[in-house]
């Protein structure tokens, strides 16, 4: 491992770094993020926006970072609630933080459903109707990432306003199948490769000296827009400063992560904790390190689907 240390930097760089950190403690869940749900208690869910607005029309939120090549938000959903069947023109991924999430894809009256636990992911394909539901006794917390900065509004296919509730709960389907029991069904054949189980992911040892699991990217779930990895750092692990030709985001799931930006031989560092996010623009030298006594896990979202040619700076 080669973690570099720079002299203390100017207040301007420190302020710029701080301005790109979204703190969970400073945000609230917007329970009216999706106006089409108004008047339907069973559709209630909250959105906490970090990068862009995702599928919400609230694109002018001054406390949300302007999107580039992706959006990142958290969704909170109580037991018994569901998201109506809808489609996007782009990919949309769900990564579960807490709870058990039921996701369904629907076509031609059939729905295939899969249940996802903590750190499991599904990449919802574009132009296929999908929805999700909380069948558990605990609330769900998950991250939602959309593969463009400003997606079009969703197209609803099974909203309670025009679909009987019993069918809307099943995302508009007249027949519902479980993914594990419907492996030969046309929907299941498309869906299965888009589901990632945390416990099944290989742990890769990065050349930088840390462990990572690849959810979305080469060798994993294919994407037309971005990559997504889960990085795990033991105490004392980290990387030397590097730059990317695209933006990236660190979203902490567990532990406390030290992050830093560099400029002109100096560095500004901050610590971010669970549910905090750092968004670093393309070309900005930055690094990360675990200065705590326990392991850190964080999502890394990278603004390209291909290897991007990141460059380590001299130590």
């Amino acid at each position: 491992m080669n973690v570099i240390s720079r002299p203390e930097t100017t207040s301007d760089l420190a302020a710029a770094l701080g301005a790109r950190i979204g703190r969970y403690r400073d945000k609230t869940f917007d329970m009216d993020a999706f106006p089409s749900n108004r008047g339907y208690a069973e559709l209630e869910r909250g959105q906490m926006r970090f990068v862009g607005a995702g599928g919400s029309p609230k694109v002018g939120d001054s406390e949300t970072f302007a999107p580039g090549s992706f959006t990142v938000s958290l969704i909170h959903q109580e037991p018994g609630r569901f998201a109506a069947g809808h489609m996007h023109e782009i990919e949309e991924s769900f990564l579960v933080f807490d709870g058990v999430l039921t996701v369904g894809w629907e076509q031609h009256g059939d729905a295939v459903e899969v249940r996802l636990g903590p750190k499991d992911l599904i990449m919802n394909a574009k132009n296929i109707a999908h929805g999700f539901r909380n069948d558990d006794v605990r609330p769900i917390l998950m991250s939602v990432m959309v593969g463009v900065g400003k997606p079009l509004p969703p197209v609803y296919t099974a909203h309670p306003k025009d679909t009987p509730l019993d069918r809307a709960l099943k995302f508009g389907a007249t027949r519902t199948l479980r993914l594990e029991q419907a492996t030969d069904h046309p929907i299941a054949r498309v869906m299965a490769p888009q589901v990632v189980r945390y416990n099944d992911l290989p742990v890769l040892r990065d050349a930088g000296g840390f462990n990572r699991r690849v959810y979305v990217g080469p060798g994993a779930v294919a994407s037309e827009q971005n990559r997504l990895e889960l990085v795990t750092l033991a105490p004392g692990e980290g990387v030397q400063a590097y730059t990317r030709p695209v933006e990236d985001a660190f979203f902490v799931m567990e532990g406390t992560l030290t992050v830093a930006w560099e400029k002109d031989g100096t560095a500004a560092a901050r610590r971010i904790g669970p549910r905090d996010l750092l968004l670093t623009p393309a070309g900005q030298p930055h690094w990360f390190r675990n200065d705590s006594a326990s392991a850190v896990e964080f999502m890394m979202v990278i603004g390209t689907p291909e290897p991007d040619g990141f460059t380590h700076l001299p130590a």
Side-chain angles (χ1 to χ4, degrees):
M1 178 185 66
N2 188 7
V3 180
I4 58 178
S5 177
R6 305 294 195 197
E8 192 65 26
T9 190
T10 64
S11 59
D12 287 346
L13 184 60
L17 170 62
R20 302 289 278 189
I21 293 174
R23 299 282 186 187
Y24 180 79
R25 69 184 182 217
D26 296 332
K27 292 179 173 287
T28 58
F29 282 96
D30 180 1
M31 302 305 294
D32 189 42
F34 306 97
S36 60
N37 293 346
R38 291 172 184 166
Y40 299 93
E42 60 271 14
L43 297 180
E44 184 179 79
R45 64 185 184 272
Q47 182 194 43
M48 181 180 287
R49 294 178 287 274
F50 286 83
V51 182
S56 171
K58 297 188 177 180
V59 297
D61 185 350
S62 62
E63 296 183 359
T64 300
F65 300 135
S69 56
F70 54 79
T71 74
V72 181
S73 60
L74 286 177
I75 293 292
H76 169 90
Q77 186 184 57
E78 291 290 330
R81 305 294 195 265
F82 74 100
H86 61 282
M87 292 190 296
H88 298 284
E89 85 286 5
I90 41 76
E91 303 162 342
E92 178 186 47
S93 64
F94 302 155
L95 178 63
V96 179
F97 279 51
D98 299 311
V100 177
L101 178 73
T102 299
V103 179
W105 289 15
E106 188 277 337
Q107 280 188 324
H108 310 304
D110 283 350
V112 175
E113 295 185 351
V114 63
R115 289 167 63 87
L116 306 175
K119 300 180 187 175
D120 291 345
L121 174 141
I122 184 168
M123 174 72 77
N124 295 294
K126 61 183 180 180
N127 298 321
I128 293 181
H130 64 277
F132 56 90
R133 188 175 65 240
N134 186 354
D135 294 330
D136 200 8
V137 297
R138 299 163 296 173
I140 286 167
L141 183 67
M142 67 175 180
S143 66
V144 177
M145 285 155 286
V146 177
V148 295
K150 296 181 180 179
L152 296 174
V155 176
Y156 285 96
T157 58
H159 196 284
K161 71 178 184 295
D162 49 30
T163 304
L165 183 59
D166 61 337
R167 285 194 61 193
L169 279 165
K170 299 177 182 178
F171 318 117
T174 55
R175 183 175 65 151
T176 303
L177 308 168
R178 290 289 297 272
L179 176 64
E180 296 81 1
Q181 300 167 345
T183 53
D184 291 332
H185 193 281
I187 303 175
R189 288 199 295 268
V190 178
M191 182 191 233
Q194 306 298 103
V195 174
V196 180
R197 300 291 188 187
Y198 171 80
N199 290 332
D200 295 338
L201 280 174
V203 178
L204 308 176
R205 189 66 178 173
D206 190 88
F210 58 88
N211 291 337
R212 62 190 181 95
R213 293 172 170 87
V214 179
Y215 282 82
V216 179
V221 173
S223 169
E224 295 180 1
Q225 279 90 30
N226 302 294
R227 304 203 313 274
L228 173 64
E229 301 180 2
L230 184 67
V231 176
T232 304
L233 297 179
E237 290 184 340
V239 297
Q240 70 186 68
Y242 67 91
T243 62
R244 291 188 188 277
V246 297
E247 63 185 341
D248 65 21
F250 304 156
F251 200 0
V252 178
M253 298 187 74
E254 298 177 9
T256 301
L257 180 69
T258 299
V259 295
W261 283 8
E262 295 199 353
K263 183 179 180 180
D264 299 330
T266 60
R270 292 286 186 274
R271 302 186 79 188
I272 57 176
R275 317 312 190 237
D276 293 344
L277 178 143
L278 168 66
L279 179 65
T280 299
Q284 170 62 56
H286 57 303
W287 51 264
F288 55 83
R289 183 175 66 221
N290 181 2
D291 290 329
S292 66
S294 57
V296 176
E297 280 195 322
F298 66 95
M299 293 176 359
M300 182 185 294
V301 188
I302 304 164
T304 176
E306 303 297 335
D308 56 280
F310 73 91
T311 302
H312 280 298
L313 300 185

